[in-house]
Amino acid sequence: MIDSLTSCEDIKNMADVLKIEVNKNIVGLEDLIDSLTISVLVGGHVLIEGFPGTGKTFLASLFGQSIEIDSNRIQSTSDLMPSDITGTQIYNPKLKEFEFRKGPIFSNFVIVDEINRAPPKTQSALLECMQARQVSVEGITQKLDEPFMVIATKNSIELEGTYPLPEAQLDRFLFRLIIPYPDEQNETEIIRRKLKSLPDLIPQISQSVINDGKSLIHSNVKAEKNIIQYVSDLVLHTSNLPKVVLGASPRAAVALLYAAKGHAAVTEGRTYVVPDDVKNVAFKVLNHRLILRQDALLDLDSDNNSPIQYLEKLIEDCINDVPVPI
C-alpha cells in the first residue's frame, strides 16, 4: 500500500496503481478513473451521468474501495429527507437529553446514487456539505473530515419521478463525466468477465496519501500568469458563445485551474501547467455550467448528433477561438 508522497512523480505512480486496481473489475473507463483521481486530489466532487446499466455506481464504488477511507452510499428516493443525509437529534432517555446522530454524509467518500430522484429540499442539504465541508443541524455546525468527496450518479434519460438539479447544485461539481455505451470489443470483455467471479479489490492508497497529494498539487504544481490568463479568457468567452444564455462562473474558472493542475500531476507527473492540461479538462469542467437557449438544440440533426455532442462542439469552438499563450 502507498502511504507517502513526496513529489508529483509519486502522484502519477499512485494514479497508475489506482487505475490498475480499478481496471481489474471494470472495462474501458481509464480516462474517467484519472478524472476521479484528479477530483479527489484537488478537493472536488463529481457527477457521473450516463444511460442505465453503463456502470456509473459500479465505477464509483470500485474507486472508493481502492482507497483506504470511510465510504457511504445514499440511495436517492422521492421520500428521502434532509435528515436522512445530514443526521438528526435523537432523544436519549438514559441521559434525558438530545444527542446528535450523524448521517451518512459524515464520511470521507459519499456516493449519492440517482441524485435527481431526491426532492429539491433534500438536494439542498448537500450544498453546504459540498461547498463548505460542514454540516449545520439545529444551530450546531460540525466540520467534515478530510478528504471529503461526493460522487453523484444520474441517468441521462429518466424523467418520471425525478427533479432537475438546479444550477447552484451543478456548479458545485468539479466534473460532469459522461459514460458512453461501450464499443463492441469492450462489450465482449464485460460479458466475458461477468461469466467468472471478479477479484476483490484491495485498498492501495492510504487516507493520509490523499491529503498529502492534495497539498502537493496546490503548493508544488505551478501555473504561470499566462496560463491563469488563458483560463480566465476561456471562461469569459463561454458567455459569448452562440445560443448560450449564461456562461461559466468565476467558480468555474477556479475549478478549471485546479483541474488543470491535477491533470498535470496525475497524468504526467509534472510540476507546472501547460495549455494542453487546460484543454484536456475543459469539457468535463464546463459542460454542466453552461445554460443554453431553449432553441439551442433545434438545429441538431437528430440522426447524427446529441445534446452532449452539441456541448462538445460549443466548448471546442470556445477553445479554438481563444488564443493559446506562448
Side-chain angles (χ1 to χ4, degrees):
M1 178 181 291
I2 300 175
D3 54 13
S4 66
L5 296 175
T6 59
S7 68
C8 288
E9 187 62 36
D10 289 342
I11 292 177
K12 181 181 183 302
N13 293 335
M14 180 206 72
D16 291 340
V17 169
L18 272 177
K19 198 160 19 179
I20 291 170
E21 188 66 19
V22 176
N23 276 335
K24 290 179 180 178
N25 288 341
I26 207 159
V27 179
L29 299 179
E30 288 83 359
D31 183 57
L32 273 67
I33 298 169
D34 278 341
S35 296
L36 291 173
T37 305
I38 291 169
S39 185
V40 74
L41 288 176
V42 302
H45 310 287
V46 175
L47 176 64
I48 304 178
E49 187 171 324
F51 297 115
T54 49
K56 301 181 293 298
T57 306
F58 189 44
L59 171 63
S61 178
L62 291 175
F63 185 78
Q65 292 174 39
S66 63
I67 305 174
E68 193 178 46
I69 54 176
D70 293 331
S71 62
N72 281 323
R73 179 175 178 270
I74 301 169
Q75 177 60 57
S76 300
T77 59
S78 59
D79 59 350
L80 190 72
M81 299 296 292
S83 59
D84 295 328
I85 293 177
T86 60
T88 188
Q89 297 281 358
I90 302 294
Y91 183 72
N92 188 329
K94 291 184 179 179
L95 300 176
K96 296 183 179 180
E97 62 182 22
F98 285 91
E99 60 184 18
F100 182 67
R101 182 171 295 175
K102 293 182 178 180
I105 199 67
F106 284 89
S107 183
N108 300 119
F109 189 83
V110 181
I111 301 173
V112 185
D113 204 15
E114 297 183 300
I115 187 173
N116 56 328
R117 290 198 175 279
K121 185 177 182 179
T122 304
Q123 289 182 23
S124 67
L126 292 168
L127 293 176
E128 181 185 15
C129 306
M130 294 172 66
Q131 184 65 30
R133 285 172 159 70
Q134 65 184 29
V135 175
S136 297
V137 177
E138 297 187 14
I140 300 174
T141 299
Q142 299 190 53
K143 288 289 185 180
L144 296 168
D145 293 335
E146 291 289 348
F148 173 70
M149 180 181 183
V150 171
I151 297 184
T153 69
K154 177 177 178 290
N155 288 330
S156 299
I157 60 172
E158 291 187 332
L159 297 176
E160 187 174 351
T162 62
Y163 304 87
L165 272 64
E167 285 71 24
Q169 180 86 41
L170 288 170
D171 204 31
R172 279 159 172 80
F173 288 102
L174 176 71
F175 292 139
R176 181 175 72 152
L177 306 179
I178 311 297
I179 296 187
Y181 276 129
D183 58 26
E184 182 180 353
Q185 180 179 352
N186 287 335
E187 183 93 41
T188 303
E189 178 64 17
I190 290 169
I191 297 171
R192 188 186 68 79
R193 291 192 185 189
K194 286 296 183 182
L195 294 177
K196 61 180 182 179
S197 59
L198 297 175
D200 293 331
L201 262 66
I202 301 172
Q204 300 293 319
I205 313 296
S206 67
Q207 178 176 333
S208 61
V209 163
I210 300 300
N211 290 326
D212 291 345
K214 185 176 179 180
S215 298
L216 275 172
I217 287 176
H218 287 302
S219 60
N220 288 14
V221 181
K222 306 300 182 184
E224 299 296 334
K225 290 182 179 179
N226 60 340
I227 295 294
I228 294 174
Q229 186 63 51
Y230 181 54
V231 169
S232 176
D233 291 343
L234 275 176
V235 171
L236 288 173
H237 190 61
T238 59
S239 299
N240 300 324
L241 294 173
K243 299 193 176 181
V244 171
V245 175
L246 194 64
S249 67
R251 184 188 285 133
V254 175
L256 184 55
L257 180 61
Y258 282 179
K261 292 176 73 171
H263 186 272
V266 167
T267 64
E268 300 291 340
R270 271 191 279 103
T271 58
Y272 56 91
V273 179
V274 298
D276 280 347
D277 293 317
V278 180
K279 293 178 181 179
N280 282 324
V281 297
F283 176 74
K284 301 168 193 173
V285 173
L286 299 176
N287 72 78
H288 56 295
R289 303 176 192 267
L290 306 182
I291 300 177
L292 306 181
R293 279 170 36 185
Q294 291 184 348
D295 64 340
L297 303 181
L298 294 180
D299 296 336
L300 286 178
D301 179 354
S302 59
D303 293 333
N304 299 317
N305 291 286
S306 69
I308 296 301
Q309 289 174 317
Y310 184 81
L311 281 169
E312 286 177 341
K313 184 178 184 307
L314 274 181
I315 295 171
E316 183 181 355
D317 290 344
C318 179
I319 291 172
N320 292 335
D321 289 345
V322 176
V324 178
I326 299 175

